[in-house]
Amino acid sequence: MKKIIKNKWILFVILIVAFVVLDLQVKNAPLANRGIVLGIGVDRDGREYSVTAEFLSPSNGGVQNYQKNTMLLTEKGKTLDEAFEKMNKTLGIRVSLKHTVLIVLGEDIMKEGDYAPLINLLEGNSVFDDTPIVGVRGNAQEIFNAKPPMYTTVSYRISETLRSPDIEAGVIITNVKDFFRMITCECETACIPLVDVIEGGASETDNDGNKVETDSIELGEIAVLKRSGLKLVLNNGESDGLSYVISNVNEGNIFIERDGDRPPFDVIIVDTVSSKKFDKKTKTYTVDVKMWVREGNSMETDITDSSVKITESMKKAVGETVAKEIMQCFETCKAKQADVFDIAGVLYKSMGKKYKDTFGDNYLENINFNVNVKIIVK
């Protein structure tokens, strides 16, 4: 607390300088004349785009309770630019996307594909490359109607979760840069997390001691997209398998069933790293995964803090489970010709454009896929 108070004037100066710089970046438009967009939801309504924006209300100045200082606005247009122009006219101020912390894609937009208009919009409005992008079942607009925890907004709540250094099994983090790179590169496949809202799934206590009901906003499944649109949604095991390869998973449990009436045992994931390589002679694409784990609850008794020592046979069982989930993810996606592991990128680095002459467009069917998992007890 003392350190915070001591540095408050430094923070104040930094904030003032930041606002001055940002002011210059938006053609010297005053802050009060800009609509600061925190989050964007993009849907399809027939032949039109429907865009929902969560705004930081410029008339309210400083923010103590974000929920009271934000507003939602939805506009439609034949193009995304037209929808935003309508927002400008409705608000009477210029819409600014420079502070946007979240992009949400509705189900119809994901199914439709053709993400070029979205790419052009975000690039043209200087949305930061590290801005998270997620999808939803149904309409993106509905997400912004959720009741987030106090003193935050829907956009900030989801963005903070995705930017956390703690990554659970089954969770991936895709930002604008990653999405555009993957959807336009050799593999033409991008994966984004789906967001779920559980109404009344949480509660908090306000400063007056009153209980306030809020919605639980959670990361659910993973959507797999190609240029042509949504190809599939991964189940829990497949999502775990994907995350072990493309994310540095450092949280979560792996449960292993045991023979007979003995309850399952579990291990807690501490860290995960992976690497990929391709052997031209054997036509084998190999994923190597190293996972550090520690003892979880033994589940032998009702005592929650009891633990079990991880034996070599248990390590083997955990490794087999991880490898099985990765392989399951590959096989499921291969059936939809979705290259979630960017195999095409590795083939291109190894063989150049000649890889298509050797393996054809359906290269996922013509290579061997191998998984090696090493479990290390921490």
Side-chain angles (χ1 to χ4, degrees):
M1 178 62 73
K2 290 182 178 179
K3 185 176 180 180
I4 294 174
I5 294 174
K6 183 178 180 180
N7 294 331
K8 67 178 183 179
W9 292 112
I10 298 175
L11 291 173
F12 179 76
V13 172
I14 292 173
L15 286 172
I16 293 295
V17 172
F19 274 119
V20 170
V21 173
L22 288 169
D23 213 45
L24 292 173
Q25 289 180 331
V26 193
K27 298 181 179 178
N28 296 318
L31 183 61
N33 292 333
R34 297 200 305 273
I36 306 300
V37 177
L38 303 178
I40 302 169
V42 184
D43 293 302
R44 263 295 189 186
D45 187 357
R47 295 185 177 181
E48 290 188 311
Y49 288 99
S50 178
V51 179
T52 300
E54 184 178 48
F55 286 92
L56 178 62
S57 182
S59 61
N60 290 326
V63 178
Q64 295 298 321
N65 186 332
Y66 285 108
Q67 292 162 314
K68 294 181 180 179
N69 288 269
T70 58
M71 62 182 230
L72 295 179
L73 179 61
T74 300
E75 294 288 0
K76 299 178 182 180
K78 293 181 179 179
T79 66
L80 291 172
D81 286 334
E82 182 180 327
F84 276 100
E85 280 301 319
K86 288 183 178 180
M87 284 187 182
N88 289 336
K89 292 180 181 179
T90 299
L91 293 171
I93 54 179
R94 181 182 303 157
V95 172
S96 171
L97 304 184
K98 292 183 181 293
H99 302 278
T100 301
V101 297
L102 183 71
I103 310 295
V104 184
L105 303 184
E107 190 170 357
D108 286 343
I109 285 290
M110 291 191 292
K111 287 181 177 179
E112 180 185 72
D114 185 17
Y115 305 106
L118 179 64
I119 294 174
N120 294 335
L121 173 77
L122 299 182
E123 287 183 341
N125 286 274
S126 303
V127 174
F128 287 117
D129 285 344
D130 64 350
T131 303
I133 185 165
V134 301
V136 296
R137 292 186 182 276
N139 293 328
Q141 179 182 1
E142 297 171 0
I143 284 291
F144 294 100
N145 292 321
K147 297 178 182 178
M150 294 185 296
Y151 312 115
T152 188
T153 71
V154 171
S155 299
Y156 275 127
R157 177 68 181 87
I158 298 174
S159 178
E160 287 170 359
T161 301
L162 290 167
R163 293 173 188 270
S164 170
D166 301 323
I167 304 173
E168 291 189 21
V171 173
I172 64 168
I173 299 137
T174 304
N175 57 37
V176 168
K177 181 180 180 180
D178 294 334
F179 180 80
F180 293 164
R181 177 177 59 83
M182 296 304 294
I183 209 72
T184 58
C185 73
E186 287 290 318
C187 71
E188 300 181 9
T189 305
C191 301
I192 61 175
L194 296 182
V195 176
D196 294 327
V197 174
I198 301 174
E199 294 185 11
S203 63
E204 295 180 309
T205 303
D206 64 19
N207 293 333
D208 298 323
N210 300 315
K211 186 177 180 180
V212 179
E213 188 177 87
T214 62
D215 296 334
S216 178
I217 303 175
E218 301 178 355
L219 297 177
E221 303 154 308
I222 294 175
V224 180
L225 313 177
K226 287 183 69 72
R227 291 182 190 177
S228 56
L230 177 65
K231 301 303 291 185
L232 73 154
V233 175
L234 302 179
N235 64 28
N236 289 338
E238 294 160 352
S239 296
D240 287 350
L242 178 63
S243 68
Y244 297 145
V245 178
I246 70 174
S247 299
N248 293 118
V249 176
N250 55 19
E251 277 197 354
N253 297 64
I254 298 176
F255 292 87
I256 305 296
E257 297 293 333
R258 289 192 272 195
D259 295 334
D261 296 329
R262 299 183 70 191
F265 74 86
D266 70 306
V267 297
I268 298 172
I269 302 170
V270 177
D271 199 7
T272 309
V273 296
S274 68
S275 60
K276 299 170 283 188
K277 60 187 177 184
F278 179 70
D279 189 320
K280 288 187 284 187
K281 291 183 179 180
T282 61
K283 299 180 180 179
T284 301
Y285 180 92
T286 300
V287 173
D288 292 307
V289 174
K290 284 185 180 180
M291 179 179 290
W292 287 262
V293 302
R294 60 184 175 85
E295 294 87 351
N297 296 327
S298 68
M299 306 186 74
E300 292 280 8
T301 68
D302 292 331
I303 303 175
T304 57
D305 63 349
S306 64
S307 61
V308 60
K309 186 176 181 180
I310 300 175
T311 64
E312 287 300 316
S313 62
M314 289 177 176
K315 284 172 57 179
K316 181 180 178 182
V318 172
E320 289 174 349
T321 297
V322 171
K324 180 180 178 181
E325 290 179 335
I326 295 172
M327 186 64 73
Q328 182 184 357
C329 177
F330 169 74
E331 293 293 341
T332 300
C333 293
K334 181 177 72 172
K336 297 290 185 177
Q337 296 186 353
D339 186 0
V340 294
F341 296 119
D342 190 20
I343 293 173
V346 176
L347 293 178
Y348 184 82
K349 287 181 180 179
S350 176
M351 305 173 65
K353 293 184 178 180
K354 291 182 179 179
Y355 84 87
K356 288 189 176 180
D357 298 331
T358 304
F359 298 103
D361 291 332
N362 197 13
Y363 57 90
L364 296 178
E365 292 282 355
N366 299 319
I367 65 164
N368 301 308
F369 186 82
N370 183 50
V371 181
N372 296 321
V373 179
K374 183 177 182 180
I375 303 297
I376 305 168
V377 178
K378 196 133 184 178

